[in-house]
Amino acid sequence: MSMRNSPKMSRSGSTEGSAANLASGSHGPSALRNSSAAASVTSVKSSPKWKRVNVPEEFAKRSSSGKERLNLVVVGHVDAGKSTMMGHMLVLLGEVSERTIKKYERDAEKMKKGSFAFAWVLDETEDERTRGVTIDVAVSKFETPKHSYTLLDAPGHKDFIPNMISGASQADAAILVVDSNTGEFEAGFDHGGQTREHAILVRSLGVAQLIVAVNKLDAVDWSQERFSEIREKILPFLTQVGFKKQRVTFVPCSGFMGENLKTSSVAALKAWYSGPTLVEALDAFEAPARPIDKPLRMSIQDIFKGGIGAGGGDVTVSGRLEAGCLQLGDPILAMPVHETGQVRAIEIGEESVTWAAAGDRVTISIAGLDVQQLGTGDVLCDPMRAVPVTTHFKAQIVTFDIAIPLTIGVPVVVHHLGRSEAGHISRLEAVLNKATGEVTKRNPRALTKSMTAIVEIRTSRALCIELFKDSKELGRFMLRSGSTTVAAGIVVDVLSYERGGVSAAASTTLSTTAASS
């Protein structure tokens, strides 16, 4: 079920791991991108051997007759029991065979880690099982009575926050898992714990629906007082960072025992709790509106050599369709490398399909692309309406609880979709009033904690971004410095346009050098 064991290939030189929609008309950098894309795609046309369908109509039929599809990320402080809880839930929902879980139990006992068997449903690598922590984002699927979910189990350890950001950037909803044990909840929620940071990150990345799973409640004898204490501490914080109280659900449970995941049977819990089980709370989530009428945008999260199914192909990629739709035979453009290919096979989960739409997490095989040219965080798009590519953009950012002020020139890593690129803040334009958005100070010397500001950012390599007003999915990003997440931001303007990941100035230099050699 997990896709992370497949061999990944990406461009060398990766760092630690938004932007105008194309303007109408025939002037400026937009026209240049469109004309070059159109020229490069003349040899990659939709093949008549694939039957074309009206994807918006098919999407409407699927939405009205089948289960809604959502992407769910599970986050929380290290050792809160995320993988054990979700692994046990998958077993209870029938997504894991009894034979498989028995094998995990035997293998875990041999390593003297008997309590880790359910976690191994998601933690599949030898390193994760030996260390007992999630490192990469595990991808699985499951169904509730109303929804079909893609599950993204994110790492909780602070060393793997970049991986957690990558998983959260694909999510429609989240489960925040907290440990009920005395001292453990406090360790995760107090300053420096990942409970706070993960909550801030998922909200900053656009997640608005949240379940707080108060896990390991069996360790405190199903105490209503402990559950209420945790709820009273964390709910004001969640509303402060942007969650609406009515969209946050607290569920007491025990991931290891399986209590209140699918059903509830413990009398001590039922004596005071009559709310939903975890599965019932998941069924209450709503699928967000999908921008299927916008140009195709698919963020690449994994890359594999070769094709899938009978369609063939030179390279296979997986990721989420952020906007638009695609179907078999479609020509696509990979950015920022500016290479074209053709869709030869599409899978959702492990099911072969002929089309996919915004919100779907897909695996597709592509003919005509070189696996060595692609990297995680690259974007597949409509060749006639290419995604903007830039190394210089203006953004509105909100700083977090930072100890060191942000100044001009401070090095940062920009996390955008699954990509991370080194960069720096090149200008501090203004500080804004959080409530009104009005400018309170122009050209500040530094930004301290909890400030809202307009800044300019430059990156060492090109990013595929869009203006937040045009694409919320491609218009969000996070800034990290060292091992700390320092700010969240949205793109308000693109200040330079690149082609193929190379700036105009660099492109001119390369052309001159080539001509003279």
Side-chain angles (χ1 to χ4, degrees), residues 295-420:
L296 171 66
R297 304 287 187 258
M298 175 182 168
S299 58
I300 296 176
Q301 301 295 330
D302 285 298
I303 306 164
F304 323 116
K305 190 173 183 179
I308 55 173
D314 303 308
V315 61
T316 297
V317 300
S318 66
R320 188 173 84 151
L321 264 67
E322 310 292 351
C325 54
L326 59 78
Q327 53 186 310
L328 292 176
D330 276 355
I332 56 173
L333 177 68
M335 296 294 274
V337 294
H338 211 277
E339 295 292 333
T340 54
Q342 185 182 51
V343 177
R344 292 294 181 88
I346 308 172
E347 287 187 357
I348 298 177
E350 297 176 356
E351 177 187 358
S352 294
V353 295
T354 59
W355 62 271
D360 291 338
R361 196 180 194 285
V362 300
T363 301
I364 65 174
S365 287
I366 307 166
L369 287 180
D370 185 349
V371 69
Q372 298 295 340
Q373 295 175 315
L374 300 177
T376 56
D378 286 357
V379 174
L380 302 180
C381 56
D382 181 342
M384 302 305 294
R385 292 182 288 180
V387 63
V389 177
T390 187
T391 58
H392 186 197
F393 59 94
K394 182 184 292 189
Q396 178 177 316
I397 67 170
V398 177
T399 60
F400 295 153
D401 189 13
I402 53 177
I404 302 174
L406 299 181
T407 57
I408 293 175
V410 65
V412 294
V413 176
V414 180
H415 290 265
H416 179 257
L417 300 176
R419 187 85 169 269
S420 54

Side-chain angles (χ1 to χ4, degrees), residues 57-185:
E57 286 186 4
E58 296 298 318
F59 179 80
K61 291 178 185 177
R62 188 182 78 180
S63 300
S64 61
S65 61
K67 293 183 177 182
E68 292 182 307
R69 299 181 180 183
L70 287 92
N71 301 291
L72 174 73
V73 67
V74 182
V75 299
H77 190 63
V78 64
D79 293 334
K82 298 181 296 298
S83 296
T84 295
M85 185 185 78
M86 298 311 295
H88 201 160
M89 192 187 78
L90 292 179
V91 172
L92 294 174
L93 290 173
E95 298 292 343
V96 182
S97 69
E98 184 177 348
R99 179 179 179 182
T100 298
I101 195 62
K102 291 295 184 185
K103 179 182 183 300
Y104 290 161
E105 289 173 353
R106 290 193 302 269
D107 293 346
E109 287 291 347
K110 290 178 183 177
M111 296 179 64
K112 301 187 184 301
K113 295 178 179 286
S115 63
F116 284 58
F118 291 118
W120 285 10
V121 172
L122 296 168
D123 294 341
E124 295 184 330
T125 69
E126 183 178 350
D127 195 17
E128 288 176 319
R129 292 182 175 184
T130 301
R131 297 174 62 177
V133 297
T134 303
I135 296 173
D136 207 347
V137 177
V139 181
S140 301
K141 63 181 181 66
F142 69 92
E143 292 192 357
T144 63
K146 294 182 180 179
H147 299 315
S148 177
Y149 277 101
T150 295
L151 170 62
L152 306 160
D153 183 32
H157 197 282
K158 63 181 181 180
D159 290 349
F160 308 117
I161 287 289
N163 293 347
M164 178 268 164
I165 292 173
S166 176
S169 69
Q170 306 171 58
D172 302 311
I175 298 176
L176 175 65
V177 184
V178 299
D179 187 338
S180 304
N181 278 293
T182 303
E184 294 301 323
F185 167 73

Side-chain angles (χ1 to χ4, degrees), residues 215-487:
N215 193 24
K216 304 185 184 181
L217 206 62
D218 55 312
V220 292
D221 298 322
W222 305 104
S223 169
Q224 180 180 7
E225 290 74 20
R226 181 58 169 166
F227 176 79
S228 298
E229 178 189 5
I230 290 172
R231 187 180 187 279
E232 289 168 7
K233 283 186 177 180
I234 201 170
L235 185 57
F237 167 75
L238 293 174
T239 56
Q240 181 184 347
V241 300
F243 287 100
K244 294 182 179 179
K245 187 180 297 186
Q246 62 270 28
R247 306 195 80 179
V248 178
T249 303
F250 285 79
V251 178
C253 62
S254 169
F256 182 69
M257 291 181 62
E259 173 61 18
N260 212 38
L261 300 184
K262 184 180 179 184
T263 60
S264 178
S265 60
V266 174
L269 175 61
K270 294 173 73 175
W272 58 267
Y273 179 76
S274 59
T277 64
L278 184 61
V279 171
E280 289 169 346
L282 287 168
D283 250 355
F285 280 154
E286 298 177 356
R290 306 297 190 187
I292 65 170
D293 57 338
K294 292 188 176 183
L296 171 66
R297 304 287 187 258
M298 175 182 168
S299 58
I300 296 176
Q301 301 295 330
D302 285 298
I303 306 164
F304 323 116
K305 190 173 183 179
I308 55 173
D314 303 308
V315 61
T316 297
V317 300
S318 66
R320 188 173 84 151
L321 264 67
E322 310 292 351
C325 54
L326 59 78
Q327 53 186 310
L328 292 176
D330 276 355
I332 56 173
L333 177 68
M335 296 294 274
V337 294
H338 211 277
E339 295 292 333
T340 54
Q342 185 182 51
V343 177
R344 292 294 181 88
I346 308 172
E347 287 187 357
I348 298 177
E350 297 176 356
E351 177 187 358
S352 294
V353 295
T354 59
W355 62 271
D360 291 338
R361 196 180 194 285
V362 300
T363 301
I364 65 174
S365 287
I366 307 166
L369 287 180
D370 185 349
V371 69
Q372 298 295 340
Q373 295 175 315
L374 300 177
T376 56
D378 286 357
V379 174
L380 302 180
C381 56
D382 181 342
M384 302 305 294
R385 292 182 288 180
V387 63
V389 177
T390 187
T391 58
H392 186 197
F393 59 94
K394 182 184 292 189
Q396 178 177 316
I397 67 170
V398 177
T399 60
F400 295 153
D401 189 13
I402 53 177
I404 302 174
L406 299 181
T407 57
I408 293 175
V410 65
V412 294
V413 176
V414 180
H415 290 265
H416 179 257
L417 300 176
R419 187 85 169 269
S420 54
E421 289 296 346
H424 66 275
I425 297 174
S426 59
R427 185 187 178 199
L428 302 178
E429 181 175 307
V431 175
L432 306 180
N433 180 293
K434 285 184 180 181
T436 65
E438 294 179 354
V439 174
T440 59
K441 186 176 183 179
R442 294 193 180 278
N443 303 314
R445 295 182 61 185
L447 302 179
T448 55
K449 67 179 182 178
S450 303
M451 278 190 171
T452 300
I454 300 295
V455 302
E456 291 183 15
I457 297 172
R458 292 181 180 269
T459 56
S460 59
R461 296 191 303 176
L463 290 171
C464 302
I465 61 177
E466 297 201 65
L467 294 184
F468 180 76
K469 69 180 182 66
D470 296 327
S471 171
K472 290 180 172 59
E473 295 77 16
L474 272 71
R476 289 189 180 96
F477 65 92
M478 308 298 296
L479 292 181
R480 283 174 60 82
S481 179
S483 60
T484 305
T485 306
V486 296

